[in-house]
């Protein structure tokens, strides 16, 4: 259900421009995503970007990953047992034309909260 909602907002909603000004709190949004692999991306250039541009970048890469089904759900416990929602991580990958490979993770509760906040943002924007 989370991925279906994520598709609605981060793929369809992104394409329609519903999330252009999302999120209101860019620092909280950015703090939730942990970049685990970045190939051919100049980290110094990324760090120079404004929080708004960093959010735009992450939203675009998240959109690509979801749209192209380049994600997986991982269990971060070595014994394989799931004890709570925080034990699960979404791993998103985006490969732009064979270059600029990016991989980032976010735990299930944080991702659910971000999808829910995107839903609330779109709803607020669409109401007269």
């Amino acid at each position: 259900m989370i991925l279906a909602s994520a598709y609605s907002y981060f793929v369809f909603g992104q394409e329609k421009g519903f999330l252009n000004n999302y999120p209101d709190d860019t620092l909280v949004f950015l703090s939730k995503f942990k970049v685990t692999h970045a190939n051919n991306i100049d980290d110094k250039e990324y760090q120079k970007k404004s929080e708004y541009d960093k959010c735009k970048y992450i939203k675009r890469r998240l959109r690509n990953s979801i749209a192209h089904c380049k994600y997986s759900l991982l269990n971060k416990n070595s014994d394989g047992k799931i004890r709570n929602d925080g034990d699960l991580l979404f791993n998103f990958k985006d490969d732009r034309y064979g270059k600029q490979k990016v991989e980032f993770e976010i735990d299930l509760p944080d991702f659910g909260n971000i999808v829910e906040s995107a839903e609330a943002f779109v709803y607020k924007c669409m109401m007269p």
Side-chain angles (χ1 to χ4, degrees), residues 37-41 61 64 68 70 93-102:
H37 176 76
N39 184 28
N40 297 327
I41 294 175
R61 292 309 188 101
N64 293 349
H68 300 264
K70 302 246 178 168
K93 296 177 184 178
D94 184 29
D95 180 351
R96 191 171 183 168
Y97 310 115
K99 303 175 183 176
Q100 291 191 356
K101 297 176 183 176
V102 176

Side-chain angles (χ1 to χ4, degrees), residues 1-18:
M1 292 302 293
I2 289 174
L3 284 170
S5 293
Y7 186 92
S8 296
Y9 299 109
F10 289 102
V11 178
F12 179 73
Q14 181 84 359
E15 295 300 315
K16 293 293 185 180
F18 297 152

Side-chain angles (χ1 to χ4, degrees), residues 13 21 23-24 29 32 34-36 47 57 65 77 80 84 86 92 101 112:
N21 296 316
D24 293 328
F29 178 83
K32 302 298 181 187
K34 177 185 174 199
V35 176
T36 57
Q47 294 305 327
Y57 176 83
S65 177
N77 293 328
N84 59 52
F92 296 98
K101 297 176 183 176

